[in-house]
Amino acid sequence: MAEARPTEGLQERPAAGLTRVVHQVEAVDFGERTVYEGGRLTVSPAEAAQILSSPALGEVSVSWASPGSPVRIVKVLDAVEPRTKGPGGGGIFPGFVGPAQPQGRGRTHVLRGAAVVAAGYLPRAQEAVIDMSGPAAALSPLGSTHNLVVEFVPGEGAKWEDVDEAVRRGTLALAARLAEAALDAPLDAVEELPTGPSATAGLPRVGVVTNLQTQGTFKDVFVYGRSFAQALPTLLDPGDLDDGAVVSGQFGHPGLKNPTFMHQNHPVVAELRRRHGKDLDFAGVVISPEPVDADNKQLISVHAARVCAAAGFDAALVTKEGGGNADADVALKMDELEALGIVAVGLFAEMAGTDGTGPSVVVPPSRATAMVSTGNYDDQLVLPAVDRALGGTTVNLVDLPATEELRLPTAVVYCSLSPLGWGHLRCEAAV
Amino acid sequence: MKAPMTKIVHYINQFFAGIGGEDAAGSPPVRVEGAIGPGRRLQQLLGDDLHIVATVHCGDDYASGSADAVQEILALVRQDDPDLVIAGPAFTSGRYGLACARVAAAATEHGLTSLAAMHEDNPGVDEGGAATIVRSGVAAREMGSSLETLAAAAAIVAGGEPLTNEQGRLGRPRRQVVRADRPAAARAVDLVLARLGGDLEATEVPLPRFEQVTPAAAVEDLAQTVLALVTEGALVPEGNPDRLESARATRWLRYSLDGIDSLAPDQYGSIHGGFSTVWANEDPHRIVPLDVARELEAEGAIGRLHGEYLVTAGNGTSVANARRFGVEWAADLRRSEVRAAILTST
């Protein structure tokens, strides 16, 4: 009698790993149908409005804001890169567009150079600005993408929580739909993402701990569609970041926030992948909530360090989201990691005051001392006047018309101090 | 040819001027001829070429309680058209250090060479602006050595030379923003690899040092004590009439509690940008517990509730500003005979 093989009867699993199929967006337009052809993305406003429609929303409109144009987007909420895994999304944005199931395998089509950007008033949202031209454009990752800006008015009698939810679902669905237009289009690049240990022996295992700011409605982050506020730190398949398993509903500290777009393109993950098998072995991604009280910050930090230890990390980069309160989450984790013998490096935006003379970090680590600077939160910028503003007519912080010349702290420019390490800003000691 | 004499105006507080202690902390600025108090010993150390022509003294509460006070002091300092302004030494005294630093900073802004002396943990170190701050001891028992360091530093800066850290200069270098060649993510991975390679010193952000705040002693007789309610929870009258910032606050405000027994939800609300204000706005007493404070006052558990509450927004606030608010609040409350305060934090 033949012995049954242990794997008999198991379904064939798709190969591990994710392939990004990249379609570059060079030009954009509106038209009767949503089409991607020869690098041009044409969007049907009627279809977009239909995708966004919800009982919680009144009128919804879409506008293009393209790089180099004299346009300012204010009251920026989330930004999403158009991606899909197949017709109807094929599982992209699990928990919102696709079912709440892990993704990160197979093929994902990416419309690179484009974004869907929601902009408008929500309670607790802090004023956030993207300039498409002028000196601030280079400070935001969304200053160089063709942005389909979604503006909305709340539905009559709708609760703000429901407005927030409807904008989020609509934005994600619209992003998936735009990418679907490229499913059969010629591709510009194929990116095979590494998976598993590299073939090179003896490299240090380096991972990343990414803190997600989870402080209740309008300041929350979703993983597989669920609020991450009550969760414990966990390993997440890096491919799941690409496929939109982490969705931002966090509208505080615009310079220090990580919109969905940045999780999809996580710069530290990209760098670890790039150097995988050369300088290091990419050991994994741990995501962690940022609780609001000290006891839970401590618990979550110890727990995150133990997850890293269990995953065999030799070193970890620690990223944050939010203002000074969130410095504590990075500092505690760095210290707990080093206490377990895991080398820790934190990314910190400095809060050194407008003249750069204040102490840089609100809560510094005590054991771990290696920190990278992502600029000064308080550094003042002058944004020249623009022709057109989207997202609102005034800029809250300074109470000025949104099209005027503005003096604003760097903190107000969307992702300018990216805690995920996107930017080039840095502080150094003046001589 | 003999170098012309350097004219110095010396700034000190009410205590070192011999006016009094906390009882005289509210005394206004006064100018007197020549050196007094620690200025006498300082003058001996300075020698013949550097001459203290006048001393300006002021109460610590008065000096650190408002920006106007610094301008008043500066006006007195400028009467003698000095070549050098010296303030302190303030040791670790917070209000005095702040006043010294601000007087020096304001004088520097007016083109006067200035030098403040204090301990490195004094909050004033962060407020010196472009003025030079020189190290002093912890307390007045180290007056002798502190004055020697100060006199040596005075000779250097009076000669137009910058003071070095080795010569006792305090204060962290200003952080200036630059554009790095590579993004932060790539630099962070470099830093990880350097640290894995045994370089434990490498960092782009020097570790800041924070002073440890020693809690005040327990209030002895609460039933005789004036109690104040203060908060960083950004609770303001409806409509935020004075436009308190919801984040990165640069100032604080005061609102009267006279004749008010409770804070109605339709009259007060929090504009704080860092937490969900739903529950605060449902019942403003969750931020400023006036209801319970009035009960305690009626029961005689506290002597009296202070007639106003002080408020700012603690959200993305720079440490320098937060520290300044703390010192200003302490001075302001002391002047009003408040001896205990409940600071609600969000």
Side-chain angles (χ1 to χ4, degrees), chain B residues 7 9 21 28 46 48 80 91 113 134 148 150-151 169 174 176 191 195-196 228 232 256-257 260 268 295 303 341 344:
Chain B
K7 278 194 292 178
V9 173
L46 288 170
D48 295 337
D80 292 282
F91 307 104
T113 304
V134 63
E148 283 169 21
L150 176 56
R169 184 177 191 145
R174 193 171 62 80
Q176 68 182 8
L191 192 51
R195 198 166 170 90
L196 279 165
E232 58 76 53
S256 174
L257 295 173
I260 303 174
Y268 292 86
E295 284 172 25
T344 49

Side-chain angles (χ1 to χ4, degrees), chain B residues 6-21:
Chain B
T6 298
K7 278 194 292 178
I8 297 173
V9 173
H10 188 204
Y11 175 80
I12 56 177
N13 73 354
Q14 86 285 353
F15 177 75
F16 288 106
I19 304 297

Side-chain angles (χ1 to χ4, degrees), chain B residues 30-103:
Chain B
V30 173
R31 176 195 170 279
V32 294
E33 291 288 335
I36 62 168
R40 294 202 184 96
R41 173 67 187 144
L42 181 60
Q43 180 61 72
Q44 290 174 358
L45 294 164
L46 288 170
D48 295 337
D49 295 340
L50 289 83
H51 187 56
I52 298 174
V53 294
T55 303
V56 176
H57 61 79
C58 182
D60 281 336
D61 285 348
Y62 192 101
S64 61
S66 82
D68 294 346
V70 173
Q71 293 305 321
E72 280 180 57
I73 293 164
L74 183 62
L76 293 177
V77 166
R78 293 177 73 192
Q79 278 184 16
D80 292 282
D81 192 21
D83 304 303
L84 175 65
V85 179
I86 294 179
F91 307 104
T92 51
S93 163
R95 287 165 295 161
Y96 186 20
L98 213 53
C100 287
R102 289 180 182 172
V103 167

Side-chain angles (χ1 to χ4, degrees), chain A residues 5 13 57 69 75 99 166 178 184 271 276 278 300 358 393 401:
Chain A
R5 288 167 55 200
R13 297 268 171 177
L57 298 178
S69 59
K75 301 184 178 23
L178 298 188
D184 299 320
E271 185 66 14
H276 179 66
K278 298 180 194 123
I300 293 295
T393 53

